[in-house]
Amino acid sequence: MSETVLDTTRAEAFGQQMVEVLNHSTLALLTSIGHQVGLYDTLADLPPATSHEIAGAAGLQERYVREWLGAMTVARIVEYDAGDRTYWLPREHAASLTRAAGPENIAGTMQFIALLAGVESSLAECFRGGGGVPYSEFGEFHRLMAEDSGALFDAALIDEILPLVPGLPARLEEGIEVADIGCGSGHAINLIAAAYPRSRCVGYDFSAEGIAAGQAEAATLRLRNAEFAVRDAASLGEHQRFDLVTAFDAIHDQAHPSQVLAGIADSLRPGGVFLMVDIQASSNLEDNLDHPFATFLYSVSTMHCMTVSLSLDGDALGTVWGEQKAHQLLTEAGFTNVRTTHLDPDPFNTYYICRK
């Protein structure tokens, strides 16, 4: 048998690819920090400025800001004039990096990289011995999810997402029973309750921390038609109570998603609708090769969604369960009419409109 000849061009190209991975990994962490301390927002409001001027405007320490700017400059995110030693953020870049960008702000999503890195050693042990990393080890997960989803909800929930269901805004205006499953920090259900005071809204989540956040926001907004309860979605225990049930990026995280979907179907009144929002992807790996977020989604699945489910002896559906699997489970749960659609401000998700 002849020896395989090494394709040196291919090897060098792959080596360079991995160097880019290393550079981009550290850049992701600095991008997250820049978002957290408001540097992108500050830069977007300034003309070309020195590191001292930028630090002063942001209320930050100049030496840290200067080194951060160095990384942003060599990464071609921030522009730099060597003569004046000034930096500026192009408007075209600000459109993906500032809070003003709303759901288009990718800098906020970078915060998940550090969050996932925090469970790296625990996850490696799961590779060796099985089991999973429990939800409790993920630190600021609730805050990050609330920030990430909140930008989309604020921009689109009332005016774009709910109207995807024909006639739904009018029914909400008249007053119906609404539930949000896996409500997290409850922002979505509070927005619905505030927009439609005649509807009665309840949010369920197994996290006491999330439920407390939802209750606190409802109290601040003085909402009398929003309530929250700590409850395992697999044991919903409601029969024909709701006219609308929503689940925003929550079903794939459940330990036993089939039980959850069956409970949701049972909780709907005749003519009720289940609006499920979940990851936009295929159930077939080969179909995801050109998905713009595929690597991120499979990584998040490995390091959070799948392993959290396994920590509960769950089915480990994973983040990238895909539209084909979703249709299968929805049909098995009793939904005979399932329609899918997509929303331009949201490149991550598919919207399922489901009826029994």
Side-chain angles (χ1 to χ4, degrees):
M1 181 180 297
S2 61
E3 292 186 9
T4 302
V5 178
L6 177 67
D7 184 337
T8 56
T9 300
R10 183 179 182 183
E12 290 173 2
F14 180 73
Q16 184 56 43
Q17 176 184 335
M18 295 310 295
V19 170
E20 291 177 2
V21 169
L22 182 63
N23 280 324
H24 290 164
S25 298
T26 52
L27 178 61
L29 295 173
L30 287 182
T31 302
S32 170
I33 291 172
H35 169 79
Q36 292 177 56
V37 300
L39 272 166
Y40 295 117
D41 302 307
T42 298
L43 282 164
D45 291 336
L46 289 177
T50 66
S51 59
H52 287 275
E53 291 168 337
I54 294 166
L60 301 173
Q61 299 296 311
E62 187 275 337
R63 185 65 187 93
Y64 282 97
V65 170
R66 188 182 354 139
E67 207 72 2
W68 180 88
L69 285 166
M72 294 299 113
T73 299
V74 297
R76 309 300 195 271
I77 292 175
V78 166
E79 301 288 339
Y80 177 61
D81 186 315
D84 295 335
R85 294 189 176 182
T86 56
Y87 308 81
W88 68 95
L89 182 66
R91 291 178 61 187
E92 296 81 2
H93 296 188
S96 298
L97 295 171
T98 63
R99 286 174 172 81
E104 303 298 323
N105 177 15
I106 197 70
T109 307
M110 296 290 184
Q111 296 174 97
F112 285 96
I113 305 303
L115 179 79
L116 297 175
V119 302
E120 179 185 5
S121 59
S122 297
L123 190 68
E125 288 304 312
C126 293
F127 270 75
R128 297 185 180 99
V133 180
Y135 191 79
S136 59
E137 288 197 27
F138 286 87
E140 294 191 303
F141 182 79
H142 258 297
R143 181 186 70 79
L144 297 188
M145 280 301 300
E147 179 182 330
D148 191 56
S149 60
L152 176 64
F153 292 153
D154 288 338
L157 178 60
I158 302 302
D159 294 332
E160 298 182 58
I161 295 176
L162 295 179
L164 291 173
V165 182
L168 181 58
R171 294 187 66 198
L172 285 163
E173 190 72 41
E174 292 171 0
I176 59 174
E177 299 285 339
V178 181
D180 186 25
I181 307 301
C183 68
S185 297
H187 189 53
I189 208 71
N190 282 329
L191 286 176
I192 296 172
Y196 300 105
R198 292 182 180 177
S199 288
R200 294 156 298 281
C201 306
V202 59
Y204 296 121
D205 202 282
F206 68 41
S207 169
E209 176 188 355
I211 291 301
Q215 291 171 330
E217 183 182 49
T220 298
L221 296 174
R222 298 182 179 179
L223 299 175
R224 296 185 177 182
N225 60 327
E227 60 179 286
F228 296 88
V230 176
R231 188 174 301 182
D232 184 350
S235 305
L236 191 57
E238 301 289 353
H239 178 64
Q240 295 189 2
R241 174 181 170 183
F242 302 113
D243 302 288
L244 170 68
V245 175
T246 59
F248 298 102
D249 285 330
I251 298 301
H252 73 262
D253 282 327
Q254 303 302 316
H256 303 292
S258 293
Q259 292 181 26
V260 174
L261 292 174
I264 290 171
D266 187 52
S267 75
L268 285 171
R269 292 172 174 168
V273 63
F274 173 40
L275 175 60
M276 183 180 82
V277 185
D278 220 294
I279 299 301
Q280 180 179 330
S282 172
S283 303
N284 303 313
L285 174 59
E286 62 272 20
D287 296 336
N288 294 325
L289 291 175
D290 295 323
H291 191 301
F293 296 101
T295 302
F296 175 71
L297 293 176
Y298 279 107
S299 299
V300 169
S301 186
T302 306
M303 302 190 73
H304 181 265
C305 303
M306 185 191 74
T307 192
V308 168
S309 178
L310 287 172
S311 75
L312 299 169
D313 295 321
D315 301 337
L317 196 59
T319 312
V320 200
W321 62 318
E323 294 186 11
Q324 296 90 334
K325 186 67 173 180
H327 275 276
Q328 176 194 330
L329 295 188
L330 287 164
T331 299
E332 291 173 354
F335 293 102
T336 59
N337 185 335
V338 178
R339 181 171 67 89
T340 59
T341 188
H342 302 92
L343 200 63
D344 285 339
D346 183 7
F348 279 103
N349 292 306
T350 296
Y351 292 74
Y352 299 81
I353 302 168
C354 315
R355 301 178 189 273
K356 294 193 291 184

